[in-house]
Amino acid sequence: MGFIRGFGELGRGDVDVAGGKGANLGELTRAGFPVPPGFVLTTDAYREFVTVNEIPENARDRFAGAAIPAAMEAELLAAHAALGADAVAVRSSATAEDLADASSAGQQDTFLHVVGADAVLVAVRDCWASLWTDRAVAYRARQGIDPASVALAVVVQRMVDADSAGVLFTANPTNGRRDESVVSAAWGLGESVVSGSVTTDDVVVDRAGNVRSRATADKAVMTVTLAAGTEERPVPASRRTAAVLDDAAAVELAALGARIEAHFGAPQDIEWARADGTFWIVQSRPVTALPEPEAEPPTDWTVADPTAMYVRASIVEQLPDPLTPLFADLIDGAVSRSLQKLMSEFISEGAVRPGDVGLPTVNGYAYYRYTRAGLIRISLRSPAALKVLTTSGEHSGLLRWRDRAHPHYAGIVEGWKDRPLDALSDEDLLAGVVDLLDAGAEYYTAVQAIIPLAASSEVAFTQFYERLVRRDGDPPAATFLLGFDSMPILAEKSLYDLATWVRDRPGFDGTIPVGDPEWEQRFRAHLDRFGHTIYNLDFANAVPADDPAPVLDTLRFYLGGGGADPYERQRRSAQRREEETAAVLARLDPLRRNLFNRLLRWAQGVAPVREDALGDIGLAWPQLRRMLRELGSRLVAAGVIEQPDDVFWLRREEILAGKAGDVGQRRMVWRGQRRVTPPQILPDRAAWRLMESFLPATLQDQTGSVLTGTGASAGQVTATARVLTGPEDFGRMQPGDVLVASITTPAWTTLFAMASAVVTDIGGPLSHSSIVAREYGIPAVLGTAVATRRIADGERIHVDGDAGTVTLPESEAVEAEPVAPSQRGRWVAAAAAGLGVAWWVRRRRR
């Protein structure tokens, strides 16, 4: 067999012979799609050429002067003559391109309007040589493709002298919607579209044949044919802003693309040309890296009860994303019951009545909802509750958590661990989930009783120190609160100890000894103690106990020599703390020394407890997830859902009825909702806007190049931003990156060892992110509201933890005017300091 294969002789399985492009064009031709006629000079021709001419790998400069073997040249020119075309397109077709997992788009060369036999021979050699351009070599290296495994075929086909051309995606590459096609169109040949030198018209067409949207560009240039070759020319003024394709033509092309997609069985990236009203397909490849489909982001934030206040605070800080349907169904009642119970205990029966408070969703996002009457009753009785919480008696928030809430929660979790899941009915499993979630919500509510103590103690000490003690050259107040153990720090130490044990083993080869019994026992002990820490309170998100991959990534980081010794870091912090404390006490007068010492010991005693309490919020979550996945497995066996994790996307009544809603549609809506920044308070009323200054994020309309938040840990860093949405992204974190996230919970602490700074959407000076960042000595800017949406992954940003700002690489739109963090800080500080000093005075009088 020779070196030439006609399109009609090829199919999608002939990649090794014709390369990805040639194989797909052959498949389209045989299926009857409008493909300009042509042939392929096979990969055997390339191999023969480089062998005969003794061209080594990557020697691109050797191709131009090498001779095509005589028999091969004769066969090529005969096939070219048989086409009967005045001009042809000569396209590279590598064996590693136009594949489902690597498109290699634009990595090799294409030559349009090639005229004459001699020009065809030159174009063929140039195509072969383009297999070894710097960009092609680099691309294959990134994709992990062995250079020795690639070869290049050449496609020669009749040239379409196009009036217009462009690209058609049979699925929307922006939002992943499989029911939408996107047509990009420009005047002239498609070269200007592929090269990116022209802004295209873009038309979105749905599967029903409706034009959903249209953007008509000002098209400055177009590619046109010459006697031989092509050139770029200005578009005539009359056509620059004219639509390249009208609605009917766009719908016709989208329908053609839908047929091609159906033939290949996957969304396609199609290059097309149009001449004299006829569409031609010149290339089709699978769409790679297509995002999961998402609905349009919501814009209407109307609430069910416009007289009530909806606010994102407290527990909502642990729920940065829209809620999954099952969690939304169950958490509302759990939170309502826990708040009613707490208020009844600390204030009086009836302080919170049924319906006064809840945790509904608006566009999927959780909001505390307070009725007007309930808000008034709570506000009037809050001072009484605060007095009880801040006493040292048996009802104090600290003692209530330690002696009652935590043991009660742990006992309920232990009770469910002993029950065999396969012996429980669906109703019993779901009842158990509700029982555990209620216990978790009640525990979380109890933890909130510690926060006034933590906040007031730290702020009272800080204000006293800054105003009445600190001199020029003295350290910041946070220095006196560092170097103590808390659950996140203990988890870090445990992981570091594991890494040390692995590294010190005889025969250590740099890897984790998976399968070793002693290793398995030690790692299981770590997960038993710390594996319940949550990344996100929504139980659809895995915890380390059932998905330890992020923990193992951090362990590998330590094994590779990364990260500082947490024991040594803590020792240095504690030593400096004690030295600075002694220096301050030595120079203060007796009154200030007494106040300083008492306020300091109070703050040092309470702050770590807050982190310990928060770290155990997820105690029930491993068991909750096991029970829900058991339900999911049963529904899979019954043919109701496709995979166990789909259970999280069902409603409660659907699980009990054994009937599923449209899980795919719900996931799509959730992804669209996730793209927005939810308002912190709804509805938008002037009377409630002052409250926004106290919430754990700044105002949302930050559109300039400087994002403003709360400076929660001092210092300045310029480094690469790593925007992480959850544990599935932890593996992308590199040493020295700025960690950018919606929130960080104790389960994120392992990343702080790699981070040079931390930036969040949600959080304040007393949040987990702030406390841990200070322990690690890295800057933190929290509560920006928009960091994860405004900061691009991989760009260099400047984080100023002193000023509470994040500077983006380029200036954008007009700077918004959020409430200044310094002003917001004064309001919060004044309130917390007042509470703290009052508490301390009461203790002094007893």
Side-chain angles (χ1 to χ4, degrees), residues 330-392:
L330 301 183
I331 193 63
D332 187 3
V335 167
S336 299
R337 289 187 288 272
S338 69
L339 284 174
Q340 289 179 44
K341 184 174 181 179
L342 181 76
M343 291 296 183
S344 295
E345 179 180 349
F346 281 97
I347 303 178
S348 63
E349 287 290 339
V352 176
R353 300 171 185 173
D356 276 351
V357 64
L359 196 78
T361 61
V362 183
N363 288 325
Y365 286 91
Y367 281 83
Y368 274 113
R369 177 189 55 77
Y370 296 94
T371 64
R372 183 177 296 170
L375 196 60
I376 292 171
R377 281 195 300 274
I378 293 170
S379 299
L380 290 175
R381 303 185 190 188
S382 288
L386 187 61
K387 181 178 179 180
V388 174
L389 286 170
T390 55
T391 64
S392 58

Side-chain angles (χ1 to χ4, degrees), residues 160-164 245 249 252-253 272-280:
V160 177
D161 193 4
D163 307 314
S164 58
L245 300 178
E252 178 188 349
L253 178 59
W272 58 271
R274 193 181 192 218
D276 300 323
T278 299
F279 285 108
W280 296 91

Side-chain angles (χ1 to χ4, degrees), residues 89 125 127 367 384 423 474 501 659 699 758:
R125 272 193 298 263
C127 281
Y367 281 83
D474 283 349
W501 177 82
K659 296 180 180 179
L699 303 182
V758 178

Side-chain angles (χ1 to χ4, degrees), residues 629-683:
R629 286 179 59 82
E630 170 67 21
L631 280 168
S633 297
R634 295 179 187 183
L635 292 170
V636 170
V640 177
I641 54 178
E642 295 182 3
Q643 54 189 357
D645 278 3
D646 285 348
V647 71
F648 301 115
W649 298 89
L650 302 184
R651 317 299 312 203
R652 178 178 183 174
E653 62 273 11
E654 291 170 343
I655 294 175
L656 294 174
K659 296 180 180 179
D662 189 339
V663 170
Q665 174 67 21
R666 290 173 185 173
R667 289 179 186 267
M668 187 171 73
V669 169
W670 182 88
R671 294 185 193 103
Q673 292 169 335
R674 199 183 190 195
R675 288 173 65 90
V676 303
T677 302
Q680 292 201 89
I681 296 181
L682 294 171

